[in-house]
Amino acid sequence: MTEHLVPTAPQQPLQTAGTGAGSHLRRGTLGLADIVFFVVAAAAPLTVMAGVAPLAILFGGIGAPVAYLAIGVVLCLFAAGFTAMTPYIRNAGAFYAYITRGLGRPAGLGAALLAVFSYNALQIGVFGALGFFAAGTANDLLGIDLPWWAYAFTGVAVVWFLGFRSISLGAKVLAALLIAETAILALLAGAILIKGGANGLSLASFAPSHVFTSQMSAPLGLAVAAFTGFEATAIYREEARDPDRTVPRATYLAVGFLGLFYTFVVWVIVQAFGNDGAVGAAAKNPAEMFFTAMTHYVGAWATDLQRILIITSLLASLLAFHNAITRYGYALATEHALPASLARVHSRHGSPWIAGMAQSILAAGTVTVFAVIGAQPYNQFMLWVNTPGVIGILALQLLAACSVVAYFRRNPALRGEGRLRTLAAPGAAAVLLAAATALVCTRLNLFTGAGPAVNWTLAALTPAVFLTGVVLAARMRRSRPDVYARLATADID
């Protein structure tokens, strides 16, 4: 039978292991802007726009901008319930903690395993994209010819170093990189608007005749992946200043910015080629669509800069996901759901350095395997490894939305925010997220370019990992009942 957790008095956290290690992450380090930078950088806006948005236009037509807006609205509904529950989840475990409190410990531990798996899949796969774009750019601009894996291994080392240092250093690096990639897209958008696009500016992308069509299922599926990671705001609770206010605000700001920015940029790129020419330009060479627009409207120098900034965009995404993964490991290890050594905090930098080292070793090992077997860095390494991560995060969002409804139904006295935020919004989000998850699973060929056998194998990993966590929870309940009883109950404030 599913177990339920109710609000309890603060408990002392389990002791963490490690000689010379701190027991807590560095508290009060991150402000609102810092957390927003972390989660928006994880989405890699420049890479998502230049690398994926042309496919949304190709498959969905000029109505593709609305797909990003629609998914943004769905995730705002999710954020409403997610943030309503935040004051009652004083734990850095994010999805794990929310789902445990709402749906019980077995589902919570299943979610914990799925979260660690999914974030690792998302982060590690991006090393393939980093190697692919860095190798091509270095060759074209500098004449340096090195294999993709050389850049991927360099990326692993850089991300490990920045993750090992204090979270404030990582926040400063991410802020600079995110501002740079946003600025280059803003420069392109401004140039297109000033010149009036190809045939004058038009709002036809938002006309019902271009939005309500059967072909819009494809851009909706692609748009879902573009928001991946925004919910990670809760992971930084322990390091946030005034977390009860900062975490909810950061969540709304992150999803709101991404939804509006993506919609605007995709609409602008349609204007660059015109309503009659955008789909044809995407079909001709989707990978070059943004570069072609940049050269035409701004200049070749900006195109070269854009190619460099795609690399830094990927680096920012890698660092953001690395920090999220290590903090998940830290939260689980403090409760002995993972080896206690992962909870060790560096005495000087305040970082979960053992968890960071373990994650970097896993990333390096995966890069090695794909390099040895001669896999293509983008079409195989990146897409095949990332895809189960996208499905896993969607499944976690769905479970989290359901957990919000369940939590507040059992605790009506806590509905201080009203039924809209505690029941209606998360309930609607759960239904829509279930539809989005099904949509992605049935259109996996858009993400992987592979056949049904590969696609369904990748999709099956999500339920397999989740059920493994449920089985482990059952074993823990028998063998370590004291640890099992304290899952997701340790306070950090």
Side-chain angles (χ1 to χ4, degrees), residues 331-392:
L332 292 169
T334 57
E335 298 182 345
H336 291 188
L338 286 178
S341 60
L342 297 179
R344 292 183 183 178
V345 176
H346 196 275
S347 58
R348 191 167 107 190
H349 300 306
S351 62
W353 64 286
I354 296 294
M357 185 180 300
Q359 200 279 324
S360 296
I361 291 172
L362 177 62
T366 307
V367 170
T368 300
V369 170
F370 278 86
V372 168
I373 65 176
Q376 295 179 0
Y378 191 90
N379 293 340
Q380 293 177 321
F381 182 12
M382 187 265 193
L383 295 180
W384 290 10
V385 175
N386 265 189
T387 296
V390 172
I391 299 172

Side-chain angles (χ1 to χ4, degrees), residues 7-33:
T8 57
Q11 300 181 42
Q12 293 298 319
L14 295 175
Q15 295 297 314
T16 58
T19 304
S23 59
H24 295 287
L25 300 174
R26 187 166 290 172
R27 299 183 178 187
T29 303
L30 301 177
L32 176 64

Side-chain angles (χ1 to χ4, degrees), residues 12-70:
Q12 293 298 319
L14 295 175
Q15 295 297 314
T16 58
T19 304
S23 59
H24 295 287
L25 300 174
R26 187 166 290 172
R27 299 183 178 187
T29 303
L30 301 177
L32 176 64
D34 296 324
I35 298 176
V36 172
F37 282 137
F38 269 113
V39 296
V40 173
L46 177 56
T47 305
V48 165
M49 289 291 93
V52 180
L55 295 177
I57 296 170
L58 172 61
F59 295 119
I62 65 171
V66 179
Y68 294 88
L69 184 61

Side-chain angles (χ1 to χ4, degrees), residues 236-258:
Y236 299 102
R237 180 179 180 89
E238 183 166 347
E239 295 157 292
R241 294 191 291 271
D242 191 8
D244 285 345
R245 292 165 60 88
T246 302
V247 170
R249 289 180 177 181
T251 305
Y252 280 118
L253 280 173
V255 71
F257 170 78
L258 288 173

